[in-house]
Amino acid sequence: MAERIQILTDLLTPVAQKAGVELYDIETVREGGERILRLYIDKEAGVDLEDCERVSRAAEAVLDEHDPIPETYALEVSSPGIERKLNRDDHFTRYVGHNIKLRLYAPIENRKNYRGKLIGYENRTITLETDPDQHIRLPREAVAACRLAVFED
């Protein structure tokens, strides 16, 4: 799966750039028996419907030409949203200083769920401020899911 995502990223990053947006993330999921290829795009001023339509049309052409997914699928293009997923190293680096919530695969310090300010990301280790003067370091490999969080400091 990771190899397929990398192939899709290599094919579709130039498409997004040409449309004036960033390819923030790609996911493939199965919902209701249908395979869905989701492209999340972003730009500083925010993504609008025209951006999504422009990227969708251009991506369809590239995907049809290269056919990197042998199964039938539906293509969706959208914004990653305000509580966007953080699942790549560059996402964690970009959002240092922001509030996040994360879930671990297995408990660390008797907890699987954490909320706090992302104060550092280095060598695939997340440093999270859970309370003033209280920090925890979590290995990236232990994180099952992570999102930006909208909550007060």
Side-chain angles (χ1 to χ4, degrees):
M1 185 63 76
E3 183 179 324
R4 180 180 289 180
I5 295 296
Q6 187 58 56
I7 290 168
L8 290 166
T9 299
D10 293 345
L11 282 173
L12 298 172
T13 295
V15 170
Q17 290 171 339
K18 187 173 181 182
V21 299
E22 169 197 4
L23 181 60
Y24 181 82
D25 204 5
I26 297 175
E27 70 179 4
T28 59
V29 296
R30 187 172 295 280
E31 291 180 1
E34 180 180 35
R35 179 166 301 283
I36 299 171
L37 170 61
R38 287 197 179 112
L39 309 181
Y40 294 101
I41 59 172
D42 201 14
K43 68 179 182 183
E44 194 170 317
V47 173
D48 60 25
L49 185 58
E50 290 177 11
D51 294 319
C52 293
E53 289 173 347
R54 189 171 48 256
V55 171
S56 181
R57 281 191 302 275
E60 282 176 354
V62 169
L63 293 168
D64 286 347
E65 179 183 344
H66 294 277
D67 199 22
I69 303 174
E71 306 93 8
T72 301
Y73 62 92
L75 175 64
E76 293 180 2
V77 179
S78 69
S79 162
I82 192 165
E83 288 196 342
R84 61 193 55 202
K85 292 180 185 178
L86 307 182
N87 56 16
R88 296 190 329 224
D89 290 340
D90 64 306
H91 293 163
F92 285 95
T93 302
R94 178 186 309 179
Y95 291 107
V96 167
H98 290 77
N99 293 322
I100 63 171
K101 55 186 172 185
L102 57 83
R103 182 173 38 85
L104 304 175
Y105 289 111
I108 294 178
E109 295 187 9
N110 297 317
R111 292 176 59 187
K112 284 183 75 172
N113 296 300
Y114 286 88
R115 295 170 64 113
K117 183 179 283 187
L118 176 62
I119 59 170
Y121 185 73
E122 192 172 321
N123 298 322
R124 296 191 51 83
T125 299
I126 298 163
T127 304
L128 187 65
E129 180 181 74
T130 55
D131 285 313
D133 301 324
Q134 199 168 33
H135 301 153
I136 186 166
R137 293 171 51 87
L138 303 166
R140 174 67 185 92
E141 293 74 25
V143 176
C146 183
R147 292 184 173 273
L148 284 183
V150 180
F151 58 91
E152 295 190 24
D153 295 314

